[in-house]
């Protein structure tokens, strides 16, 4: 056996602390209630509108995004995390969800299912973008896709869903709508735009000058003030729509009027990705004059920081190798939604709050408490504990902090007597009860607060009663 080398004596240098990558974000437990709030609401909405959850991989063949999102878009040109895998294939972390959902629709032959197929997703996406408030390099989006139907009622219903998701969460938002027409009418419009901007090129920002030939419609939603001024007088797509797109758009708006969803016609709304056709829309937060910098340190968002966006992509299924199939989708950002909820101090409910605290004194009591915790939890109670603590005082302090209604205390005396103490945390009154009856005793008391009634009636036969003779 090789002789072990004695460790070299070198001066201990402090190790460099590894930090979060730029543009990334840790979600800490204190934010969890916001995520639960959003996810619960999304799951309910998805069910109500008949969407099935789909999970696609974080990583896909790079070609999927090049063909769908478009090779001349900012996302594909500058923002994708692209690398070669060990097999030499070019793969990318998904920068958005629609392309993967459409790939899955084709790959799993969903065309043979009753149409439209309604799919819902939620997950992380990646864009190597310039980090700023509300803009991360890994962020979460939820999305709703309706594939296989072209009727304008579908467009209106999806906008209604998106709008109601925010309105239901008490977030004041506006629905911005536009139509960018068929690819043919867009080609005509692009020419008109290039013509308009040609003589004004010198007033454009550097990015827009680059975009002018490749993607002139992006000039309309550039955030640079000079470019915004020029966009005001630029030709409007609505004047270049073909008859079919125009008719479709009018019907979408009629349906929205019918369900009384307010909307703003926004002729400069173009969306950044190549796959859009016809109806496009975004959800913007209403300006919030009252807010100071965000609770997470973020600076106030402008009204143009969309909470989400979507639109028709009637040619995408075919572009990705499927049959011609009309479709429409919406994707919303979760972090931006949380920023708005926090900035507007919108109540999202109390979150998880334990109602019982189990306190113990001594090694034997600790063992019994460990079992009691599990029995009560399985019986449907929300229980908290701090089993590693020895003294009663820190345990009571924690019970107080958590706002539990009762503390259940097992000390040496209770161990000997086969009893347990129930302490009302509000009044401080303590009662000794038979350990075997603990479940019924606790239940009786919690009912007083109306806490247990909400659970569907009967609590399962408590094993605690049998397990602790
Ligand atoms: P998009 O696919 O760019 O239309 O994005 C749809 C929504 O996702 C946006 O309105 C944002 O709410 C959110 N989103 C997009 N990019 C980011 C990002 N880099 N960081 C945080 N949220 C984002």
């Amino acid at each position: 056996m090789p002789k072990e080398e004695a460790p070299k004596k070198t001066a201990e240098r402090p190790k460099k602390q590894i930090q979060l990558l730029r543009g990334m974000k840790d979600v800490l437990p204190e934010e969890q209630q916001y995520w639960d709030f959003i996810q619960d609401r999304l799951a309910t909405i998805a069910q109500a509108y008949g969407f099935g959850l789909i999970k696609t991989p974080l990583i896909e063949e790079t070609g999927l995004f090049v063909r769908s999102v478009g090779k001349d878009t900012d996302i594909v040109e500058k923002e994708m995390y692209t690398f070669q895998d060990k097999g030499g294939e070019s793969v990318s972390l998904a920068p958005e969800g629609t392309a993967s959902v459409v790939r899955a629709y084709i790959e799993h032959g969903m065309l043979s299912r009753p149409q439209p197929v309604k799919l819902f997703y939620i997950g992380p996406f990646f864009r190597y973008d310039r980090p700023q408030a509300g803009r991360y390099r890994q962020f979460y989006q939820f999305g709703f896709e309706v594939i296989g139907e072209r009727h304008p009622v579908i467009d209106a219903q999806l906008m209604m869903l998106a709008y109601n998701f925010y309105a239901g969460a008490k977030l004041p938002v506006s629905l911005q709508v536009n139509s960018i027409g068929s690819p043919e009418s867009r080609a005509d419009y692009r020419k008109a735009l290039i013509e308009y901007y040609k003589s004004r090129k010198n007033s454009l920002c550097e990015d827009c000058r680059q975009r002018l030939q490749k993607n002139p419609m992006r000039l309309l939603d550039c955030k640079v003030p000079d470019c915004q001024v020029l966009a005001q007088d630029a030709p409007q797509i609505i004047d270049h729509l073909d008859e079919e797109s125009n008719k479709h758009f009018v019907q979408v708006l009629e349906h929205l009027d019918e369900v009384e969803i307010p909307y703003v016609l926004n002729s400069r709304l173009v969306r950044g990705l190549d796959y859009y056709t016809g109806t496009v829309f975004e959800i913007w937060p209403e300006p919030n004059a009252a807010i100071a910098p965000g609770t997470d340190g973020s600076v106030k968002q402008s009204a143009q920081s969309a909470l989400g966006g979507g639109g028709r992509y009637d040619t995408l299924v075919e572009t990705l190798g499927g049959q011609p199939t009309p479709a429409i989708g919406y994707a919303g950002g979760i972090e931006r939604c949380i920023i708005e909820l926090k900035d507007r101090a919108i109540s999202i409910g109390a979150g998880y709050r334990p109602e019982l605290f189990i306190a113990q004194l001594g090694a034997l009591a600790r063992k019994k408490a460990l079992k009691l915790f599990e029995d009560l939890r399985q019986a449907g109670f929300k229980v908290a504990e701090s089993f590693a603590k020895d003294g009663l005082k820190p345990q009571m302090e924690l019970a107080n902090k958590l706002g539990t209604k009762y503390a259940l205390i097992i000390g040496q005396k209770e161990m000997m007597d086969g009893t347990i103490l129930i302490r009302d945390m509000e009044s401080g009154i303590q009662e000794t009860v038979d350990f075997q009856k603990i479940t019924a005793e606790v239940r009786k008391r919690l009912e007083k607060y109306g806490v247990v009634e909400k659970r569907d009636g009967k609590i399962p036969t408590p094993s605690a009663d049998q397990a602790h003779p």
Side-chain angles (χ1 to χ4, degrees):
M1 257 178 74
K3 240 169 88 184
E4 251 182 46
E5 266 184 43
K8 284 195 187 106
K9 278 198 182 138
T10 47
E12 279 275 311
R13 250 197 261 145
K15 289 209 175 71
K16 186 173 170 274
Q17 190 192 339
I18 296 180
Q19 289 181 333
L20 197 63
L21 285 173
R22 198 163 125 74
M24 301 289 172
K25 178 182 188 303
D26 293 318
V27 177
L28 301 182
E30 43 274 31
E31 205 178 87
Q32 187 61 42
Q33 52 185 325
Y34 285 93
W35 291 79
D36 290 346
F37 174 77
I38 290 175
Q39 281 169 343
D40 288 352
R41 297 189 80 86
L42 285 172
T44 308
I45 281 212
Q47 253 179 0
Y49 284 83
F51 284 78
L53 182 69
I54 182 162
K55 291 180 182 168
T56 54
L58 294 186
I59 186 166
E60 298 266 9
E61 196 181 313
T62 300
L64 173 67
F65 305 113
V66 176
R67 267 161 74 178
S68 56
V69 174
K71 67 176 174 20
D72 294 330
T73 56
D74 283 355
I75 292 182
V76 168
E77 260 191 349
K78 307 184 203 155
E79 298 170 6
M80 277 212 298
Y81 281 84
T82 299
F83 55 95
Q84 270 195 356
D85 67 9
K86 290 192 196 309
E89 188 169 6
S90 175
V91 293
S92 296
L93 297 182
E96 59 99 57
T98 304
S100 300
V101 172
V102 170
R103 177 199 48 70
Y105 174 90
I106 300 168
E107 204 159 337
H108 298 282
M110 292 194 213
L111 185 61
S112 61
R113 298 184 183 184
Q115 304 293 298
V117 173
K118 295 172 155 194
L119 300 168
F120 154 64
Y121 63 83
I122 189 163
F125 295 99
F126 303 83
R127 294 182 194 171
Y128 197 82
D129 203 351
R130 197 164 54 83
Q132 48 187 294
R135 187 169 289 280
Y136 307 99
R137 287 181 175 168
Q138 176 180 328
F139 57 94
Y140 283 76
Q141 274 186 350
F142 60 87
F144 293 91
E145 313 287 351
V146 187
I147 310 178
E149 181 55 68
R150 74 173 71 252
H151 198 286
V153 72
I154 299 290
D155 307 29
Q157 193 189 28
L158 188 64
M159 291 187 211
M160 184 166 91
L161 177 161
Y163 182 86
N164 282 339
F165 167 71
Y166 299 101
K170 306 271 184 304
L171 267 178
V173 293
S174 74
L175 168 64
Q176 308 276 321
V177 293
N178 194 19
S179 172
I180 55 170
S182 63
E184 297 77 43
S185 61
R186 221 154 50 233
D188 181 43
Y189 178 57
R190 282 166 68 109
K191 274 193 213 138
L193 270 183
I194 293 174
E195 192 54 37
Y196 168 80
Y197 278 112
K198 222 163 57 186
S199 57
R200 298 165 175 86
K201 207 171 165 184
N202 291 341
S203 311
L204 289 170
C205 74
E206 186 52 41
D207 274 352
C208 281
R209 259 180 258 165
Q210 300 283 334
R211 287 180 190 133
L212 185 54
Q213 286 305 324
K214 284 189 191 164
N215 206 346
M217 283 167 69
R218 288 318 310 268
L219 272 62
L220 297 176
D221 66 357
C222 177
K223 304 284 182 289
V224 174
D226 282 352
C227 299
Q228 288 194 341
V229 172
L230 285 185
Q232 298 280 347
D233 296 327
Q236 300 201 354
I237 180 88
I238 210 87
D239 300 324
H240 292 259
L241 286 188
D242 55 293
E243 207 183 313
E244 186 59 35
S245 303
N246 203 25
K247 198 170 128 208
H248 183 96
F249 191 46
V250 169
Q251 287 184 36
V252 172
L253 300 182
E254 282 171 1
H255 280 104
L256 284 177
D257 290 335
E258 189 60 35
V259 286
E260 296 181 5
I261 298 287
Y263 57 86
V264 178
L265 284 175
N266 182 343
S267 62
R268 282 191 294 282
L269 188 73
V270 291
R271 310 280 298 136
L273 322 184
D274 272 8
Y275 56 60
Y276 286 113
T277 53
T279 314
V280 288
F281 64 104
E282 280 186 354
I283 302 277
W284 291 2
E286 289 288 10
N288 181 0
I291 53 166
T295 40
D296 64 351
S298 63
V299 194
K300 182 183 171 314
Q301 303 284 291
S302 77
Q304 272 72 13
S305 294
L307 288 168
R312 279 217 156 260
Y313 49 91
D314 289 344
T315 54
L316 182 58
V317 180
E318 202 179 351
T319 305
L320 293 179
Q323 299 293 319
T325 309
I328 185 165
Y330 173 79
I334 295 191
E335 289 85 352
R336 290 216 192 144
C337 191
I338 292 177
I339 289 174
E340 286 296 323
L341 288 168
K342 285 184 176 174
D343 281 350
R344 292 170 197 264
I346 289 171
S347 159
I348 54 160
Y352 182 84
R353 188 178 267 195
E355 54 211 11
L356 302 172
F357 188 96
I358 301 181
Q360 36 68 41
L361 275 173
L364 286 177
R366 181 178 279 130
K367 283 184 189 145
K368 202 164 182 180
L370 188 65
K371 176 82 171 80
L372 178 62
F373 175 92
E374 195 51 26
D375 290 337
L376 288 173
R377 190 191 66 77
Q378 285 191 19
F381 294 102
K382 295 178 190 159
V383 201
E385 47 69 35
S386 182
F387 290 147
K389 291 220 161 52
D390 289 325
L392 198 55
K393 193 161 169 255
Q395 296 187 64
M396 286 302 102
E397 277 168 6
L398 184 58
N400 248 328
K401 200 169 143 206
L402 293 171
T404 50
K405 299 259 180 269
Y406 294 101
L408 312 179
I409 306 167
I410 319 173
Q412 276 165 18
K413 180 171 178 307
E414 288 73 28
M415 283 298 295
M416 305 241 298
D417 300 350
T419 58
I420 183 164
L421 266 179
I422 304 184
R423 179 188 172 94
D424 184 320
M425 293 302 292
E426 215 172 278
S427 65
I429 294 172
Q430 300 194 152
E431 291 170 82
T432 301
V433 302
D434 183 349
F435 189 89
Q436 292 187 53
K437 305 232 169 77
I438 185 64
T439 311
E441 291 289 341
V442 158
R443 182 154 190 253
K444 197 168 71 189
R445 286 168 175 78
L446 285 175
E447 269 173 359
K448 220 172 54 190
Y449 287 99
V451 182
V452 253
E453 278 159 354
K454 282 193 216 96
R455 288 189 214 121
D456 53 354
K458 230 171 102 207
I459 299 252
T461 317
S463 55
D465 289 5
Q466 293 128 27
H468 299 273

